[in-house]
Structures are given as C-alpha cells and as structure tokens.
C-alpha cells in the first residue's frame, strides 16, 4: 500500500493516515511527511508546482491577426484587446509624477493576481525624504492586516537593528530616518516567495518608487529585492558588498526574517549595519 519514495525529489504527500493502518505504516508515513516538511513543503498540491499565473504574466502577447475584412455593409469586428502586463506597469509607473500618484497607479493596476487575495495594498512606511531606502520582499500576514511594511516579528527586528545605529523609520532627525517599501505591495498566499513573473511585472513600479523617493543609499534585504534590482540572487555571497543600482549605492543585507531563523548570521548583519552607517557618515 505504501511505497518508499526515498530517492524521489518530490514524493507525494499522503493525507489520509487511517487509524486502521498498522503501526509500522503509520510511522513510515509520519517520517515521510516530516521529511516533506523539512524540505519546505507547506501545501499538498501536485508533484511539481506549476505557476500558471507567472506563465501568463510574462508570456509575450502575440500580435493579433489583422481583423478580417468586414463583409460589405457590415461594421468591422472589434480588434481583440491586447495586454502586456509589464508594458502597462511601465507606462503607469512612468506617468506617476509623485509618490501619491505612484501609489494610486499601483492600486489601479489590475494584472497582478495577488491583489485579489490580499486584504491591503502595502506601499511604504517611514519618511520619503530619508537618505536610506530599504527594500524588502512582500507583505506578510501582519503587514497585510496593518497596511504597512515590516510590522510583524521581522519588522520589529528590523527596527531594533536600525535603532542600534541610531536610525529608524520615525527618527526625529531626517538624516537618520529611513524609508521602507517592498518589491510587491500585495501579500503572496501563505507568504510564499514571489515568483519571477510577479517580480518582473511589478519592477517598473519599484524602479519608479526609487526614482521618486531619490534616496542617497538603497538597502536590499534578502534575495527577492536582489533578484528584482540586481538581477541575481545569492544573498549569502552578495551581502555586505556595495553595488550600484539605478545609479545609487546599494547594500544587500540578510532579510530580518532570515536572521530570526538563523541568529548566528546577526554577526554579519551587524557588520553590514556598521558599513551602512560609515557610508552615511563618510
Ligand atoms: N517581510 C518583508 O520583506 N516585507 C515586509 O513588509 C514584511 C516582512
């Protein structure tokens, strides 16, 4: 009844552990399930995940065939509507003259499916005139409830990290204030990592956000903003090394949620905070 899938990369998860199963089968099943959880499985779906939304989002829209000539005396059939989500995002972002207009343009953007499942649109927090702009990944449950980025446990750690170098989103001194946003303004279901389609679709808004806020320094926290703004991931190697993004110095750092799971990495995060402070002071 039960097959061992030890060498399979994605064995199916069994859901119906019957009380009638023998004890041995129960423990085998349980071990298999625990192994799945250790691998990071959070939902039972297919053997291989298929992100149909991403495929739709990034797929170039084929040019519509020219409308067939209308028979004489009849009106021509309407041209099919063409949508290219990235081009629409770029046009909407470029048309936004200030941060308020950008927020409105993002809220009016209908191509991102995440919007349908999210409770709030999460745009920013902190001071838009700050010298430092922090870019995180996406709202989580607490942020979705509050409508503000970084208010959950990771956000509280971020606040403590910033306070350690006398900075903060509500700092009295504008020179020590920060401005915070995320790659995505809507919470992905079950806090899953944003996919490539979502990141590239919303990137024009993030780039415009940075241009309008015009910080002196950008801090990208974790792999998702690295993917969006630097075009690559590998935060463990990239953190602590200054790069240039949109003509500005940019420091990749560990995401505070990662630091909560891996407190040992706080040592590197502290070194990065000192590097940020030195850059601002220098
Ligand atoms: N993690 C993020 O990347 N952003 C948030 O706003 C909250 C948690």
């Amino acid at each position: 009844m039960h097959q061992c899938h030890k060498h399979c990369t994605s064995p199916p998860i069994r859901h119906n552990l019957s009380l009638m199963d023998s004890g041995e089968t129960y423990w085998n099943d349980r071990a298999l399930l625990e192994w799945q959880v250790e691998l990071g499985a959070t939902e039972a779906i297919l053997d291989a995940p298929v992100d149909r939304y991403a495929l739709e989002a990034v797929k170039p829209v084929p040019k519509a065939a020219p409308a067939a000539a209308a028979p004489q005396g009849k009106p021509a059939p309407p041209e099919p509507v063409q949508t290219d989500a990235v081009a629409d995002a770029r046009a909407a972002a470029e048309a936004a003259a200030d941060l308020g207009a950008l927020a409105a343009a993002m809220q009016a953007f209908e191509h991102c499916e995440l919007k349908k499942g999210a409770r709030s649109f999460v745009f920013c927090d902190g001071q838009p005139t700050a010298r430092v702009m922090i870019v995180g990944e996406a709202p989580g449950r607490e942020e979705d409830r509050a409508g503000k980025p970084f208010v959950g446990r990771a956000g509280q750690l971020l606040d403590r990290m910033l306070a350690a170098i006398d900075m903060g989103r509500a700092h009295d001194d504008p020179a020590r204030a920060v401005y915070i946003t995320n790659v995505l303004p809507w919470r992905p279901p079950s806090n899953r990592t944003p996919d490539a389609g979502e990141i590239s679709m919303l990137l024009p808004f993030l780039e415009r956000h940075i241009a309008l806020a015009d910080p002196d320094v950008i801090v990208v926290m974790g792999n998702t903003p690295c993917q969006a703004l630097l075009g690559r991931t590998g935060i463990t190697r990239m953190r602590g090394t200054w790069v240039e993004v949109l003509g500005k110095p940019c420091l990749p750092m560990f995401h505070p949620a990662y630091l909560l799971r891996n407190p040992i990495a706080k040592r590197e995060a502290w070194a990065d905070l000192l590097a940020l402070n030195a850059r601002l002071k220098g």
Side-chain angles (χ1 to χ4, degrees):
M1 171 180 156
H2 172 66
Q3 280 188 311
C4 175
H5 292 274
K6 205 169 161 192
H7 302 295
C8 238
T9 50
S10 55
I13 300 177
R14 286 175 48 107
H15 314 291
N16 53 347
L17 296 182
S18 157
L19 291 175
M20 302 294 286
D21 280 352
S22 72
E24 192 191 342
T25 306
Y26 169 81
W27 288 109
N28 281 348
D29 284 343
R30 188 177 162 142
L32 180 58
L33 198 52
E34 283 170 352
W35 181 55
Q36 289 279 336
V37 171
E38 275 169 30
L39 287 179
T42 55
E43 282 172 59
I45 36 172
L46 301 175
D47 278 2
V50 178
D51 189 342
R52 295 175 205 289
Y53 169 67
L55 297 177
E56 286 304 314
V58 291
K59 198 167 60 182
V61 179
K63 281 249 176 285
Q72 271 200 333
K74 289 207 177 164
E79 292 270 334
V81 178
Q82 295 190 28
T83 56
D84 177 337
V86 178
D88 283 1
R90 189 163 298 118
E94 277 166 15
D98 55 35
L99 291 173
L102 183 68
M106 290 175 79
Q107 278 179 292
F109 185 72
E110 295 296 345
H111 294 296
C112 184
E113 287 293 312
L114 296 178
K115 180 179 177 179
K116 294 184 185 148
R119 194 185 281 203
S120 307
F121 167 72
V122 178
F123 185 60
C124 69
D125 197 21
Q127 301 182 33
T129 52
R131 295 183 65 200
V132 177
M133 182 165 180
I134 296 175
V135 183
E137 179 174 299
R141 192 180 52 180
E142 307 304 325
E143 291 76 19
D144 187 40
R145 287 205 179 127
K148 272 191 193 180
F150 282 104
V151 295
R153 279 185 69 222
Q156 288 158 21
L157 175 58
L158 174 62
D159 286 339
R160 290 199 297 278
M161 289 162 65
L162 292 170
I165 52 165
D166 190 27
M167 297 197 79
R169 50 182 120 187
H171 204 292
D172 301 337
D173 178 357
R176 306 302 297 169
V178 297
Y179 182 57
I180 304 179
T181 192
N182 282 311
V183 174
L184 304 185
W186 295 291
R187 180 192 182 200
S190 313
N191 292 350
R192 67 159 169 73
T193 304
D195 66 42
E198 290 156 354
I199 294 174
S200 53
M201 185 182 357
L202 294 166
L203 179 59
F205 290 117
L206 177 61
E207 290 180 340
R208 186 74 181 141
H209 203 159
I210 293 170
L212 290 170
D214 194 21
D216 291 346
V217 167
I218 303 167
V219 173
V220 284
M221 297 202 126
N223 271 324
T224 297
C226 287
Q227 175 66 54
L229 293 170
L230 282 65
R232 61 206 153 93
T233 58
I235 192 64
T236 309
R237 273 173 289 109
M238 288 157 74
R239 59 138 286 274
T241 302
W242 288 92
V243 288
E244 198 180 288
V245 164
L246 304 172
K248 296 177 183 296
C250 171
L251 182 64
M253 285 185 64
F254 284 133
H255 192 285
Y258 175 81
L259 297 174
L260 288 172
R261 294 192 303 272
N262 300 277
I264 193 111
K266 285 183 183 168
R267 180 203 293 249
E268 279 95 1
W270 176 239
D272 298 345
L273 287 170
L274 293 179
L276 171 65
N277 203 28
R279 182 103 191 190
L280 293 170
K281 291 197 164 152

